[in-house]
Amino acid sequence: MYNDWLKMNGKVEDVYIRIKKDKIRIATGSEEEVSVLTDEQVEKFLFLLEKVSQRNKCIGYLLLYTGLRVTELVDLKLAHIDRLTA
């Protein structure tokens, strides 16, 4: 969303973030199957995020775009975030 905003406001020329299905290889000998969201599921998720509170929207974007695990998100503190100043 931030990249879209930057492009719409002429701050950047290219789209740097594209939603696509991740390709994850499972380690040899692993019994677990890794599943990822389909493009349609991501689109629906993003659509539904627009209808929730700012807090929940932030949680959704963090989980979707950063690769954080839920346990890492729960432990996230403001001090852990590297803020860039304009």
Side-chain angles (χ1 to χ4, degrees):
M1 299 303 293
Y2 181 62
N3 190 200
D4 293 341
W5 179 86
L6 289 172
K7 187 169 176 162
M8 283 182 359
N9 289 285
K11 308 287 184 193
V12 297
E13 294 181 15
D14 296 321
V15 175
Y16 298 100
I17 301 170
R18 290 182 178 82
I19 299 172
K20 61 182 177 182
K21 189 173 180 179
D22 293 328
K23 306 232 184 285
I24 300 173
R25 262 196 314 201
I26 299 173
T28 307
S30 176
E31 301 289 325
E32 296 181 37
E33 183 176 318
V34 177
S35 62
V36 296
L37 298 175
T38 65
D39 292 341
E40 294 79 24
Q41 289 170 322
V42 170
E43 291 292 328
K44 185 174 183 180
F45 181 72
L46 290 172
F47 174 77
L48 294 173
L49 274 182
E50 294 305 313
K51 302 177 182 220
V52 299
S53 69
Q54 289 286 64
R55 173 191 169 270
N56 291 343
K57 191 180 291 189
C58 183
I59 289 170
Y61 283 124
L62 281 169
L63 290 172
L64 185 62
Y65 290 117
T66 65
L68 281 174
R69 296 178 188 103
V70 172
T71 54
E72 294 168 329
L73 179 68
V74 169
D75 190 44
L76 189 63
K77 307 287 186 263
L78 199 54
H80 297 153
I81 299 172
D82 183 20
R83 293 194 223 166
L84 301 176
T85 57

